[in-house]
Amino acid sequence: MTDSRERLKEQAKKDGIEFFMALGTEVNGKPCASVAPAKYIDSLLDDGAAFAGFAAGGLNQTPADGDIAFMPEASTYTRMPWRPNMAVLHASPYVKGEAWPYASRVILQNLLDKIKSEHGWTLKTGMEPEFFLVRRKEDGTIVMADALDTSVKPCYHAYGIEHAWPFLSKMSQYINQLGWGSPAVDAEDGNGQYEVNIDYADAMTTADRLIFFRYMAHAVAFQDGQGIIPTFMGKPFTNNTGTGLNTHLSIWDDNGNNLFQDDQDALGMSKLGYHFIAGVLKHSLGIQALIGSNVNAYKRIGVPHPSSGSTWTPTHIMYGANNRTTMIRIPAPGRFEHRGVDGGASPHLATAAILAAGLDGIARELDPGECLQERNTYTMSQKELSGYTRLPATLWDAANALQENEVIRKALGKGPHGDFVDFFAQEKRDEFAMYHSQVTQWEIDHYLMG
Ligand code: ADP
Ligand code: MG
Ligand code: MG
Ligand code: MG
C-alpha cells in the first residue's frame, strides 16, 4: 500500500499531475467522481472522497445515513489521455471503515479475493465495448449522429468507420497510449454503432477500464463540441441491433497457466471450464437481472430480428462452439464468451454474477449438457426450442428469479441492511413499476380504437 502510494506520487510528479479524480460507481455502473488538487493526495488516499450515498443513488443508503467514502486505490493510477494534468484513481465505497457490501466493485473484489485465497486463481476477462453515436433532437428523441449511414448491412462497412473516424481514431490512440492494447476498431451491426476492442486483463482491471472507457468516450465526444453522445444502452433504436457487452472469461493459476485450456478437447476447453460454463447455464435465470439490469435490456433479447437480419443476442439458455446465436460461445481454446451481458450493465456486477454462477458449477462439478456446436439456433422450431429455457422477458421477472436463487444470494453477500440480492431485486422491481406506469405511443396506436 505504502509502496504503491510512493510509486503513484513519483509517477504523478513525472507526469505533471495537478488533479486526482476518485472514480467509483453506484450499483448500476453510473460513474461517481470527486476531484482533488494534487497536494491533497494523502488525505484523498487516507480518507477517500465523501459522498451522501442517497444522493449518488443505488447504494442502499437513506438521506439520514452518514457519509459514504469512495476510497481510491493508488495502484489504479490512470492518467487521462485527453486531459494530461489529471489522473483517475478507481475507488470503492466504504462506510465506517468497512467496504460497503452493496457496491458492485466491492462484491466483485470479494469474489476475486475468495478464488485467490481458496484456489490461487485469477479470473481474466475481455469485455467488448459496443456503442452508438447519437444526437439528441430538441424534442428529446435521438437520431444517429451519422445521418449518412443508411446501409442495410452496416456491419464492418468502411464508410461507417470513415464517418466516425475523428472520434474512433482518438479512442484507439488513447487506449493504446494507456497501454491497454486495442487491436481493432470496427463498424458494428447497427447504423451508427461501433466497437473498440480492448485486450483482456485481470477481471477487476477490465471492469475498471470499462468505466474509464465510457467516461473517455463521453469526454472525447464532448470536447469535439458537435453534440455527439456515445451511448452504451442496450437498445436505443427499435429497428437496429442492440448493444451488448460480450464478456470473455478464463481462469489462470499463479504460474500463468490458463486452467480453461485443454488441447485434447475438440474446442480446447478444459473440464474446469465446462464445469464453469455449466454453472453459468444453471444460474442464468438467477443472474439475468445483474447482467441486464434495466428495463431497456429486455428489448434487446428475444425480440424480432432488426433491419440488419440478426439480433446477435441470445434468447435461450444454450451453449455452442464458435456460434454467435448461443448465449455461451466458445470462440477459441481456453476461454468462453457470455453474449447475454447488456451494453449498459455494470461491468463489475456482471463479472461478479457470471463468476458466482461459474464457481457453483465448479464446486458441484456440473455438466453443461449438449453443445450446440455451430447450429443456427435462431431458426430452430418451437418444438426444438421447448427443450431450452427462455431468458426472462422483463426486468420484473429477472428480479424475482434473482431473489429465488439461493446460490447467487449467498455468493453476493450481505451487509447491515440485509442480503444484497433483496436490496437489488427490490430496486429493480421499483424501476420496472415506474416504467410500467407510463402509457406509450404503441399502446395508443394498438388499443385506442378497440
Ligand atoms: P468477438 O469475436 O467476440 O467479436 P473480439 O475479438 O471483439 O471477439 O473480443 C475478444 C475479447 O476476448 C478481447 O477482449 C480479447 O482480448 C479477449 N480474450 C482473448 N483471450 C482471452 C482469454 N484467455 N480470457 C479472457 N479474454 C480473452
Ligand atoms: Mg468483437
Ligand atoms: Mg460486437
Ligand atoms: Mg463478441
Side-chain angles (χ1 to χ4, degrees):
M1 178 67 187
T2 323
D3 270 7
S4 52
R5 179 180 298 215
E6 290 317 312
R7 270 202 304 277
L8 169 138
K9 285 185 179 172
E10 232 168 77
Q11 188 66 41
K13 202 166 160 205
K14 213 161 91 197
D15 291 344
I17 295 301
E18 294 178 77
F19 296 97
F20 286 101
M21 173 184 281
L23 180 65
T25 63
E26 49 70 270
V27 77
N28 299 298
K30 179 187 90 177
C32 304
S34 178
V35 176
K39 69 174 180 179
Y40 291 95
I41 184 62
D42 280 317
S43 61
L44 187 65
L45 289 171
D46 289 338
D47 308 328
F51 294 116
F54 180 76
L59 286 166
N60 204 5
Q61 294 257 301
T62 75
D65 285 321
D67 281 1
I68 195 159
F70 275 58
M71 299 297 291
E73 284 174 25
S75 61
T76 64
Y77 174 92
T78 311
R79 189 183 184 189
M80 289 178 172
W82 69 96
R83 184 179 295 129
N85 70 343
M86 193 184 286
V88 158
L89 302 173
H90 290 280
S92 285
Y94 278 64
V95 171
K96 298 191 175 89
E98 300 284 338
W100 188 235
Y102 304 99
S104 303
R105 195 170 188 275
V106 172
I107 292 171
L108 177 60
Q109 188 67 62
N110 289 343
L111 283 169
L112 295 175
D113 288 348
K114 185 175 145 73
I115 60 169
K116 185 53 125 186
S117 65
E118 286 181 9
H119 306 284
W121 292 342
T122 300
L123 176 70
K124 297 197 182 187
T125 57
M127 294 181 124
E128 302 176 51
E130 297 178 338
F131 52 89
F132 280 89
L133 295 180
V134 305
R135 269 179 220 287
R136 205 146 184 184
K137 295 198 298 185
E138 268 181 20
D139 65 3
T141 58
I142 55 164
V143 289
M144 315 283 181
D146 178 12
L148 300 177
D149 182 3
T150 53
S151 170
V152 290
K153 277 295 213 186
C155 205
Y156 312 122
H157 206 305
Y159 300 173
I161 295 185
E162 185 63 34
H163 298 172
W165 191 240
F167 175 86
L168 296 175
S169 58
K170 267 198 195 140
M171 291 299 286
S172 176
Q173 283 164 345
Y174 286 169
I175 294 169
N176 282 307
Q177 196 177 313
L178 285 164
W180 300 356
S182 178
V185 169
D186 67 31
E188 272 294 323
D189 202 52
N191 303 98
Q193 190 188 31
Y194 309 90
E195 178 175 315
V196 177
N197 282 126
I198 304 175
D199 283 347
Y200 72 99
D202 75 84
M204 183 59 81
T205 300
T206 293
D208 285 345
R209 284 178 179 172
L210 248 291
I211 298 300
F212 190 97
F213 179 94
R214 289 175 183 168
Y215 182 179
M216 183 158 73
H218 182 84
V220 167
F222 182 73
Q223 287 198 339
D224 201 32
Q226 305 292 311
I228 293 174
I229 303 171
T231 180
F232 297 85
M233 74 183 278
K235 188 77 177 174
F237 297 104
T238 305
N239 296 320
N240 270 276
T241 309
T243 296
L245 181 60
N246 291 172
T247 300
H248 298 248
L249 302 98
S250 54
I251 284 183
W252 298 65
D253 69 14
D254 281 340
N255 300 320
N257 299 310
N258 179 355
L259 301 179
F260 278 8
Q261 184 133 3
D262 179 355
D263 296 336
Q264 304 303 311
D265 179 70
L267 299 176
M269 184 58 65
S270 69
K271 276 211 172 67
L272 192 84
Y274 282 119
H275 291 324
F276 193 104
I277 289 172
V280 176
L281 296 171
K282 174 141 193 79
H283 297 297
S284 279
L285 291 182
I287 67 169
Q288 179 57 43
L290 304 162
I291 66 173
S293 61
N294 63 43
V295 296
N296 182 254
Y298 297 80
K299 309 216 161 153
R300 176 178 162 264
I301 50 181
V303 293
H305 293 296
S307 51
S308 69
S310 175
T311 62
W312 301 107
T313 309
T315 56
H316 289 75
I317 298 169
M318 309 165 156
Y319 86 107
N322 193 352
N323 181 346
R324 288 186 169 85
T325 72
T326 51
M327 188 186 78
I328 301 260
R329 163 182 172 234
I330 303 175
R335 68 175 145 123
F336 75 87
E337 174 185 42
H338 196 308
R339 302 182 51 78
V341 183
D342 184 66
S346 154
H348 296 91
L349 196 56
T351 307
I354 298 169
L355 177 57
L359 288 178
D360 187 54
I362 290 177
R364 292 160 60 198
E365 300 192 343
L366 297 178
D367 179 343
E370 186 197 5
C371 175
L372 285 162
Q373 302 296 340
E374 291 176 11
R375 176 80 204 277
N376 182 355
T377 66
Y378 292 158
T379 57
M380 277 183 168
S381 67
Q382 282 309 317
K383 190 160 171 271
E384 278 176 290
L385 284 174
S386 65
Y388 297 91
T389 306
R390 204 177 187 285
L391 289 166
T394 67
L395 184 61
W396 179 278
D397 298 319
N400 288 338
L402 168 64
Q403 225 168 0
E404 284 162 17
N405 190 308
E406 290 305 318
V407 168
I408 301 302
R409 170 182 293 277
K410 191 154 176 273
L412 299 192
K414 58 177 187 239
H417 301 333
D419 288 356
F420 169 79
V421 298
D422 291 328
F423 150 66
F424 192 77
Q426 192 53 46
E427 285 256 312
K428 295 301 146 184
R429 273 192 300 264
D430 291 348
E431 191 172 329
F432 183 84
M434 247 189 318
Y435 158 76
H436 198 52
S437 69
Q438 301 290 312
V439 176
T440 63
Q441 190 59 43
W442 189 94
E443 289 154 279
I444 304 293
D445 293 345
H446 285 77
Y447 308 136
L448 189 69
M449 305 300 264

